[in-house]
């Protein structure tokens, strides 16, 4: 709990002090150190500030300052589930202190770094998580938390989105800054790409200004060494005032050392010197007297020479402005609990919008903003450039000076391979053909190579159905298992190989760095169509799943461009549609199934571009610049690619055992009841009188089975909506399948499996997919015409492509736009478009005799 929550008369043990350097140092100097006993004495008449007793004297703190101090109260300890022999009231029992000490060994570490710096790889290796790792910006679109234990400490790792700076320019920059301020970590782990130091250290200089405990992980250090570059990382750490540790996230090199240092920084921050570093003599003395508290204190004494807070000098003109603004900001003491006043002053000079909002909310906000305008003009006049550029140039100047002293580049350009590949991959003439060939090859492999394991799984599903049919007695339970569960789930799971192959290709594009090149190639085309160049990345991600793709739109700085991308993303054929595409392509386009599938993907992309242009007409704004890093090509590791594919496999299988299973059972129930007594009697009759074909080739049993389905609950639902879909050439079974598919697109296939292959007990020995295909081919309308033709099938596929985003996608649209209005619009306009396109395909095709 927080110190501000401690009630009058209660005692507690201080567990942790949060906040930035200046505030933290002042609080610690007042005696609020970890392990100290504190008692709430009384509140001021207006409940703020609060008087506390600590170290034999009384001191008052504002509640905002108390919010930054974590404690364990005696009452909290008594109410915990810890099994002890604790009885009665004591001042501070040994068991209470030990439990408080355990709580104090919980360290929250925030991973902050540029996109492509290997931050998530490092996070995955440390926490044994399996977050997706991609070689382009925007992979991590929200904070991920992982846990692990090291040397008796409980670490919480927070993987924040990749960001190039801490300005308020893009959503991820604002998100990272708010997370660091509002969920103050104990230590910031600044992950730096060692092969691109100058750009990565710009963010480091901003983090230094925040004056929070920090360690630098010089990640991908192996790439720096492979290029022949040399870096004196110890000297770099001394210059920055922050320990800099070489690491390799993929292999785990340097991670133990890194976390030894993090523990040092965490523990040592309670022994601050006047210079802003750690008083190492006091620190070491403390741990020599309490050797159980920390294993690594003596072993890593050199870190104390590195840890000292520096002020990055921005030049005399800017420094004068910073000091003037700092003095104005310091008039309100409450702001110092969360922000470094120097950091805020610098951000105000840069014209940062978030910083201006914070300043305007202060009691002397008008004074601060007035000073800001004056100082911005003065900097412009004296330096001949705008204030933001002047600060940026000063930072890069500092970085250049530090690297001159510590970094020696190789004589040979280490990016030679990347440049050679880009001669073809991003070539003005070859770039497009290479990209289109890659996409075509991806779709061909998805269908052709995936067809073999699909047939094996299909045969296995058919064998399972036959085995259960031969061993179980007839009855409702048998029908449920064969027709409802196996028929529904098995009919969808057979398409798993196709989905995995698609994800394999997408993962390769992301991890290798080619995804960023594809966005570069498509930038001009995207702008012509009303989209931003960066929109291409989430659109490609949409081929895997629309939900993470919608979340991935956060890499687009422009709000309106981001909104347009979100609204057209459902047109991207996600993996959930693959079972439907594959089933119909095999059944109705056996000569050219890959071409049929490719045409659907093309129609989806074309519709996305058309409606992006329409949305752009209504949502006009100045275009945001296209700034996307082109990282060096990296050969994806088998572990990374397979982990990504396995994660998607688990998601798919969970869906099979969850929503698809439940939906299949519900559809079976609605199709099974109410029972037709005549049909039941026919099924139980062992003679052949009901299985002999009549003059029209129909058996009485088949006719009764059709009547059973039409009179069932689902049949009545289908008949109700049939008038709306009859102009499209669809049957009521197709309508019901589409209705069920609004929850998740895979349910379309499972519903058809239940409706067409279950309930009539014809004991077909064919495998499930082939069986379903044959049943659809033989489906007749009331007038005796075939219900399914190639034309009807294609109209149905186009409807599936365009209509009603799945429930998870609608929720994602609502979350990203923060409005049900846009989510509702997505449902309405996509479904109307789907009906119109299917109507045109069927009616025009019928007129011309297709």
């Amino acid at each position: 709990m927080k110190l501000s929550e401690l009630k009058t008369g209660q005692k507690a043990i201080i567990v942790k002090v949060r906040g930035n350097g200046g505030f933290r140092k002042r609080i610690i100097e007042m005696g609020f150190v970890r392990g100290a006993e504190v008692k709430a004495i009384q509140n001021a008449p207006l409940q703020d500030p609060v008087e506390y007793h600590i170290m034999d004297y009384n001191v008052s703190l504002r509640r905002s300052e108390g919010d930054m101090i974590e404690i364990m109260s005696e009452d909290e300890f008594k109410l915990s589930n810890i099994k002890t022999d604790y009885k009665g009231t004591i001042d501070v029992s040994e068991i209470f202190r030990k439990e408080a000490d355990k709580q104090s060994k919980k360290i929250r570490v925030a991973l902050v770094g540029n996109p492509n710096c290997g931050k998530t790889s490092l996070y995955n290796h440390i926490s044994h998580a399996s977050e997706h790792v991609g070689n382009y910006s925007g992979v991590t679109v929200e904070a991920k938390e992982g846990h692990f234990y090291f040397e008796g400490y409980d670490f919480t790792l927070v993987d924040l989105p990749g960001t190039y700076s801490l300005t308020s320019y893009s959503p991820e920059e604002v998100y990272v800054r708010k997370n660091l301020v509002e969920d103050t970590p104990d230590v910031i782990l600044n992950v730096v790409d060692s092969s691109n130091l100058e750009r990565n250290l710009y963010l480091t200089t901003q983090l230094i200004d925040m004056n929070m405990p920090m360690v630098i992980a010089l990640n991908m250090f192996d790439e720096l060494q492979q290029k022949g570059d040399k870096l004196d990382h110890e000297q770099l750490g001394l210059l920055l005032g922050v320990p800099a540790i070489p690491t390799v996230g993929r292999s785990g090199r340097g991670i133990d050392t890194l976390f030894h240092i993090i523990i040092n920084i965490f523990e040592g921050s309670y022994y601050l010197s006047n210079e802003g570093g750690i008083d190492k003599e006091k620190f070491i003395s403390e741990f020599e007297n309490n050797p159980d508290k920390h294993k690594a204190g003596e072993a890593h004494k050199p870190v104390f020479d590195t840890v000292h807070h520096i002020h990055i000098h921005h030049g005399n003109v800017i420094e004068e402005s910073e000091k003037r603004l700092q003095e104005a900001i310091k008039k309100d003491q409450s702001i110092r609990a969360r922000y470094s006043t120097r950091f805020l002053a610098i951000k105000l000079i840069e014209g940062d919008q978030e910083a201006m909002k914070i300043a305007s909310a202060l009691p002397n906000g008008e004074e601060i903003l007035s000073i800001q305008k004056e100082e911005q003009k003065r900097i412009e006049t004296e330096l001949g450039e705008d204030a933001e550029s002047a600060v940026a140039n000063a930072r890069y100047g500092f970085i250049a000076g530090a690297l001159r002293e510590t970094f020696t580049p190789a004589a040979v350009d280490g990016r030679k391979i990347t440049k050679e590949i880009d001669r073809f991959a991003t070539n003005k003439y070859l770039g497009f053909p290479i990209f289109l060939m890659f996409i075509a090859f991806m779709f061909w492999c998805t269908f052709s190579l995936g067809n073999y394991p699909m047939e094996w799984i299909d045969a296995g599903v058919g064998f399972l159905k036959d085995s259960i049919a031969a061993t179980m007695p007839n009855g409702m339970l048998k029908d449920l298992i064969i027709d409802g569960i196996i028929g529904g789930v098995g009919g969808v799971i057979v398409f798993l190989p196709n989905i995995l192959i698609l994800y394999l290709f997408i993962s390769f594009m992301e991890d290798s760095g080619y995804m960023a090149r594809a966005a570069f190639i498509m930038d001009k085309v995207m702008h012509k169509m009303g989209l931003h160049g960066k929109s291409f990345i989430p659109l490609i991600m949409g081929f895997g799943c629309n939900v993470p793709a919608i979340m991935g739109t956060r890499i687009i700085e422009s709000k309106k461009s981001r909104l347009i991308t979100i609204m057209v993303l459902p047109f991207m054929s996600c993996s959930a549609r693959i079972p439907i595409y594959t089933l119909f392509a095999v059944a109705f386009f056996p000569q050219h199934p890959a071409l049929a599938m490719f045409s659907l993907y093309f129609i989806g992309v074309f519709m996305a571009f058309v409606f992006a242009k329409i949305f752009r007409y209504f949502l006009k704004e100045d275009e945001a610049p296209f700034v996307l890093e082109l990282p060096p090509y990296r050969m994806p590791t088998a572990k990374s690619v397979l982990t990504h594919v396995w994660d998607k496999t688990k998601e798919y299988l969970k869906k099979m055992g969850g929503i698809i299973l439940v939906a299949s059972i519900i559809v079976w129930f609605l199709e099974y009841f109410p029972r037709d007594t005549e049909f039941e009697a026919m099924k139980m009759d062992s003679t052949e009188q009901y299985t002999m074909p009549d003059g029209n080739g129909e058996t009485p049993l088949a006719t009764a089975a059709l009547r059973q389905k039409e009179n069932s609950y689902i049949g009545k639902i289908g008949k109700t909506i049939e008038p709306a879909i009859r102009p499209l050439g669809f049957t009521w079974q197709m309508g019901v399948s589409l209705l069920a598919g609004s929850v998740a697109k895979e349910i379309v296939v499972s519903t058809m499996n239940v409706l067409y292959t279950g309930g009539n007990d014809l004991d077909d020995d064919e495998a499930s997919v082939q069986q379903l295909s044959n049943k659809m081919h033989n489906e007749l309308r009331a007038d005796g015409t075939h219900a399914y033709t190639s034309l009807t099938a294609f109209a149905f596929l186009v409807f599936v492509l365009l209509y009603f985003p799945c429930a998870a996608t609608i929720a994602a649209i609502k979350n990203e736009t923060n409005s049900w209005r846009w989510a509702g619009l997505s449902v309405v306009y996509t479904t109307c478009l789907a009906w119109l396109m299917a109507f045109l395909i069927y009616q025009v095709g019928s007129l011309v005799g297709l």
Side-chain angles (χ1 to χ4, degrees), residues 286 439 492 595 721 735 829:
E286 170 71 14
I439 296 297
V492 180
L595 182 61
I721 65 174
Y829 99 88

Side-chain angles (χ1 to χ4, degrees), residues 409-429:
V412 180
D413 186 358
R415 292 176 63 104
K416 185 176 179 181
I417 295 176
T418 292
K419 289 181 179 179
E420 287 298 318
I421 296 174
D422 276 345
R423 283 179 58 195
F424 301 96
T426 60
N427 184 274
K428 183 166 72 171
Y429 303 106

Side-chain angles (χ1 to χ4, degrees), residues 108-120 123 131-132 136-145 157-167 170-180 183 188-191 203 207 551-556 816:
R108 186 178 181 86
V109 179
L111 279 71
V112 183
N114 285 191
N116 308 315
C117 68
K119 179 169 51 63
T120 303
Y123 167 85
E131 295 300 337
H132 176 43
Y136 68 94
S137 64
V139 176
T140 305
V141 292
E142 60 183 4
K144 311 289 193 310
E145 282 198 9
L157 298 179
V158 184
D159 181 21
L160 295 173
T163 178
Y164 291 106
S165 73
L166 296 177
T167 63
S170 67
E172 64 267 22
E173 291 170 351
V174 175
Y175 183 88
V176 170
R177 194 163 83 185
K178 283 188 174 180
N179 189 283
L180 294 179
D183 298 325
I188 294 174
L189 178 52
N190 177 209
V191 184
L203 175 61
L207 292 170
M551 296 169 66
T553 58
R554 296 177 193 172
I555 66 172
I556 305 169
E816 291 303 309

Side-chain angles (χ1 to χ4, degrees), residues 193-204:
D193 178 0
S194 299
S195 64
N196 201 339
L197 288 169
E198 188 169 11
R199 188 207 68 211
N200 278 246
L201 288 176
Y202 187 83
L203 175 61
T204 304

Side-chain angles (χ1 to χ4, degrees), residues 109-262:
V109 179
L111 279 71
V112 183
N114 285 191
N116 308 315
C117 68
K119 179 169 51 63
T120 303
S121 292
L122 196 69
Y123 167 85
N124 286 345
H125 187 92
I126 297 167
S127 64
H128 303 292
S130 55
E131 295 300 337
H132 176 43
V133 179
N135 191 16
Y136 68 94
S137 64
V139 176
T140 305
V141 292
E142 60 183 4
K144 311 289 193 310
E145 282 198 9
H147 297 270
F148 85 111
Y149 294 89
F150 182 76
E151 289 194 351
Y153 288 80
D154 180 1
F155 284 90
T156 297
L157 298 179
V158 184
D159 181 21
L160 295 173
T163 178
Y164 291 106
S165 73
L166 296 177
T167 63
S168 56
Y169 179 61
S170 67
E172 64 267 22
E173 291 170 351
V174 175
Y175 183 88
V176 170
R177 194 163 83 185
K178 283 188 174 180
N179 189 283
L180 294 179
V181 172
E182 295 174 7
D183 298 325
T184 316
D186 298 307
V187 180
I188 294 174
L189 178 52
N190 177 209
V191 184
V192 168
D193 178 0
S194 299
S195 64
N196 201 339
L197 288 169
E198 188 169 11
R199 188 207 68 211
N200 278 246
L201 288 176
Y202 187 83
L203 175 61
T204 304
T205 61
Q206 292 184 316
L207 292 170
I208 289 171
D209 286 332
M210 293 190 81
N211 197 8
M212 300 172 73
M214 184 167 72
V215 179
I216 296 172
L218 295 168
N219 203 31
M220 296 189 277
F221 205 76
D222 55 336
E223 291 189 12
L224 178 142
Q225 293 175 321
Q226 288 168 9
K227 289 196 299 181
D229 297 339
K230 293 180 181 179
L231 177 68
D232 185 343
H233 62 88
E234 293 181 357
Q235 181 63 24
L236 180 63
L238 285 169
L239 293 173
L240 296 174
V242 181
I245 315 301
T247 61
V248 180
R250 290 182 295 179
S251 66
R253 171 185 163 188
I255 288 177
D256 281 357
T257 302
L258 181 67
F259 278 86
H260 274 301
I261 302 301
I262 288 174

Side-chain angles (χ1 to χ4, degrees), residues 305-554:
D305 297 325
T306 307
V307 179
H308 57 278
H309 181 61
I310 66 167
H311 284 167
I312 295 169
H313 198 271
H314 298 101
N316 293 334
V317 175
I318 298 174
E319 289 293 326
E320 287 177 21
S321 298
E322 288 172 3
K323 287 176 183 176
R324 190 177 173 204
L325 278 166
Q326 265 189 283
E327 291 303 317
I329 294 168
K330 285 179 181 178
K331 289 180 181 179
D332 187 277
Q333 291 293 323
S334 63
I335 196 70
R336 302 183 70 181
R338 295 186 177 275
Y339 289 95
S340 159
T341 54
R342 180 176 171 84
F343 175 77
L344 267 184
I346 295 168
K347 287 297 164 192
L348 286 171
I349 290 171
E350 292 177 316
D352 184 277
Q353 293 300 313
E354 289 293 317
M356 291 173 71
K357 286 180 185 177
I358 295 165
S360 62
L362 296 177
N364 62 333
E366 289 185 9
E367 176 195 356
I368 294 171
L369 295 181
S370 175
I371 295 172
Q372 179 225 17
K373 290 178 181 177
E374 290 175 14
E375 294 304 318
Q376 281 186 326
K377 288 180 181 178
R378 188 178 68 85
I379 291 170
E380 258 184 68
T381 302
E382 295 192 25
L383 298 181
E385 59 183 340
D386 64 90
E388 187 177 7
S389 299
V391 173
N393 290 336
R395 290 187 189 280
Y396 277 117
F398 171 82
I399 294 167
L403 292 179
R404 268 198 301 271
E405 294 188 38
T406 58
F407 179 71
T408 306
V412 180
D413 186 358
R415 292 176 63 104
K416 185 176 179 181
I417 295 176
T418 292
K419 289 181 179 179
E420 287 298 318
I421 296 174
D422 276 345
R423 283 179 58 195
F424 301 96
T426 60
N427 184 274
K428 183 166 72 171
Y429 303 106
L430 299 177
F432 273 109
I434 291 173
F435 172 68
L436 293 175
M437 286 171 60
F438 182 87
I439 296 297
F441 181 68
M442 177 178 75
F443 290 141
W444 179 84
C445 289
T446 298
F447 181 81
S448 300
L449 297 183
N451 195 45
Y452 297 104
M454 186 187 79
E455 290 177 354
W456 302 335
I457 298 174
D458 192 25
V461 170
F463 175 78
L464 181 62
K465 289 175 69 173
D466 292 342
S467 299
I468 294 175
T471 55
M472 284 189 71
N474 290 333
M476 188 174 73
L477 180 60
K478 177 182 176 181
D479 293 341
L480 170 62
I481 294 174
I482 294 176
D483 302 328
I485 297 175
I486 299 177
V489 176
V492 180
I493 203 170
V494 295
F495 301 101
L496 179 61
N498 308 82
I499 293 169
L500 296 187
I501 292 172
L502 178 67
Y503 272 117
L504 192 69
F505 275 92
I506 293 176
S507 180
F508 178 83
M509 287 179 70
E510 293 174 346
D511 291 3
S512 65
Y514 184 65
M515 184 73 87
R517 270 72 184 182
F520 172 77
I521 293 167
M522 294 295 294
D523 176 54
K524 192 169 183 178
V525 175
M526 302 299 278
H527 277 281
K528 293 280 187 186
M529 301 300 178
L531 290 166
H532 190 274
K534 284 187 179 179
S535 299
F536 184 75
I537 291 176
L539 289 177
I540 288 291
M541 290 173 64
F543 289 144
C545 180
N546 288 167
V547 175
I550 287 170
M551 296 169 66
T553 58
R554 296 177 193 172

